[in-house]
Amino acid sequence: MNDFNQNKDMMLGYTVNEKYPNIYCFSTTRHGGVSQGNYASMNCTIYTGDNIRHIRQNQELLRSRLPQGVQELIIPFQTHSTNV
């Protein structure tokens, strides 16, 4: 699929990465992190109410799996609703 195959438990990559080598587009799964309870285990978003230390640890775990040179994570505000 792409460079992220080795991390399929934690993230899902997209073939768009092949066209833009300086941009890494992916989605995380719920696996591979340290968060607990309702946020278990790979929660990377600060707006959920999860423990901020867990969120920061999860973000660092995620960064460690990305190709070297990635400078910034852009994490959108995700909702599960019919409102846009």
Side-chain angles (χ1 to χ4, degrees), residues 27-30 38-39 42-43 45 47-48 76-84:
S27 296
T28 57
T29 68
R30 293 184 60 92
N38 290 337
Y39 306 107
M42 181 49 95
N43 177 38
T45 56
Y47 56 81
T48 58
F77 184 86
Q78 180 181 3
T79 62
H80 299 277
S81 107
T82 58
N83 299 325
V84 178

Side-chain angles (χ1 to χ4, degrees), residues 8-9 17 20 26 29 35 37 39-40 46 51 54 60 62 76-77 83:
K8 64 183 175 181
D9 61 323
N17 291 346
Y20 307 99
F26 61 93
T29 68
S35 293
Y39 306 107
I46 60 172
N51 182 310
H54 292 166
E60 285 307 312
L62 185 58
F77 184 86
N83 299 325

Side-chain angles (χ1 to χ4, degrees), residues 31 36 45 50 53 55 80:
H31 306 287
Q36 301 173 359
T45 56
D50 191 6
R53 286 178 292 166
I55 293 166
H80 299 277

